[in-house]
Amino acid sequence: MGKRERWRDGRATLYVDRGAGTGTAAGYAGPLEGAEPLEGPAEVPVEAPVEVAVEVAASYRARTRGLLGRDGIEGAMLLTPASSVHTFRMRFAIDVAHLDRRLTVIALTTMAPGRLGLPRLRARHVLEAEAGAMAAWGLRVGSPLRVRLTTR
C-alpha cells in the first residue's frame, strides 16, 4: 500500500516475510556463477515470503460483519482501521494480529469464541485468521507484512 492509496473492501494478497532478520540485508539471491566462496560463516538463505489470500474489510459495514456467521475462513481477514476485535457469536477460535500503521505486527493472540479483546495502543489494523494459521505462516511480533490489493 502506498501512502496515497485508500483502503477499500475487497480481496488482496498478504505477504509474510518468514525469514525477516536472517540472511543478508539485501536478501539471498543464490550463488553467483564463477564467484569464489567467501571465507567465514555461510549465508543462510532467506525463505520466500508466504502468500496469503486476504479479505479486506475497510467499510464500517464490512468491519461490523467480519467473520460472524462463518464456519471458517480460507486465508485471513484484514480489518482497517481497527484496534480491537471480539468473538461474540463466532463459531471458531481465531488468531489475531494487531498491526501498526506500517503493517508491522505489534501483538499476537488466539481468541476463543465469546471473548472481547482489549484495544491495543498504536494498532491501526487487525488481521484475523483461523486459530493456528499464523503460526504456520511464521508470523511473530515484529514481522513486517506487505499487502497488495487486487484490482477490480
Side-chain angles (χ1 to χ4, degrees), residues 9 57-67 77-82:
D9 293 344
S59 68
Y60 177 78
R61 186 175 187 176
R63 288 192 315 269
T64 303
R65 185 177 58 244
L67 296 175
M77 177 171 277
L78 179 67
L79 306 172
T80 182

Side-chain angles (χ1 to χ4, degrees), residues 19-145:
T22 62
T24 62
Y28 178 76
L32 299 174
E33 286 191 36
E36 303 237 339
L38 298 173
E39 299 289 16
E43 290 294 324
V44 177
V46 176
E47 294 184 41
V50 176
E51 293 184 20
V52 179
V54 174
E55 295 178 41
V56 178
S59 68
Y60 177 78
R61 186 175 187 176
R63 288 192 315 269
T64 303
R65 185 177 58 244
L67 296 175
L68 298 177
R70 298 186 189 193
D71 292 323
I73 182 172
E74 291 295 323
M77 177 171 277
L78 179 67
L79 306 172
T80 182
S83 62
S84 67
V85 295
H86 68 83
T87 57
F88 298 127
R89 297 182 8 223
M90 289 189 65
R91 300 177 183 165
F92 58 98
I94 60 171
D95 283 342
V96 177
H98 292 86
L99 313 174
D100 65 8
R101 67 181 69 238
R102 293 184 177 176
L103 298 178
T104 300
V105 178
I106 58 175
L108 282 170
T109 188
T110 300
M111 294 177 65
R115 303 285 187 235
L116 176 65
L118 295 174
R120 298 285 179 156
L121 294 176
R122 295 185 15 244
R124 298 295 180 261
H125 317 280
V126 174
L127 185 67
E128 299 177 337
E130 284 195 44
M134 292 184 186
W137 303 336
L139 199 66
R140 61 181 186 266
V141 174
S143 295
L145 304 178

